[in-house]
Amino acid sequence: MTKREFVKLKKGDVILAIRHLLDDKGTIIIPENSQWKVEEINLIPLKGQGRKPIKTTIINNVTNGATFKLTKDNSAGFLIYKRKRGPSPKT
């Protein structure tokens, strides 16, 4: 996902991990081909940064419920899989 696509993420979107994400020790934090749902979007203003706040999203794994904080810097390992737009359809 590019930085432009990351900025356009909305709550309810489903993204797909296209490669493993590792921590400092080399263990896998996010496995490849796992689906994650955007649960929360936060804008964090930083002192001295100017008018643009940093956008962070909290994503949950669809299968096991694990959470991860996603930013522009670590969003390159993901791909937008399904977009949820507009209100839910009435049944």
Side-chain angles (χ1 to χ4, degrees), residues 17-80:
I18 56 173
R19 60 178 167 226
H20 295 304
L21 270 96
L22 307 173
D23 64 357
D24 297 336
K25 298 176 185 176
T27 58
I28 298 173
I29 298 173
I30 295 180
E32 187 177 10
N33 293 329
S34 58
Q35 292 184 5
W36 297 77
K37 185 176 182 181
V38 177
E39 292 294 327
E40 185 179 336
I41 297 174
N42 297 325
L43 296 174
I44 303 171
L46 292 178
K47 196 173 194 178
Q49 184 185 5
R51 295 185 180 181
K52 288 188 176 180
I54 292 179
K55 181 177 180 179
T56 60
T57 62
I58 307 287
I59 56 176
N60 286 339
N61 193 327
V62 174
T63 56
N64 65 6
T67 61
F68 185 71
K69 186 185 282 188
L70 189 66
T71 60
K72 279 185 184 180
D73 299 329
N74 61 2
S75 66
F78 291 92
L79 178 72
I80 296 176

Side-chain angles (χ1 to χ4, degrees), residues 7-25:
V7 173
K8 294 179 182 180
L9 277 179
K10 303 275 186 192
K11 185 176 178 180
D13 287 349
V14 177
I15 57 177
L16 182 70
I18 56 173
R19 60 178 167 226
H20 295 304
L21 270 96
L22 307 173
D23 64 357
D24 297 336
K25 298 176 185 176

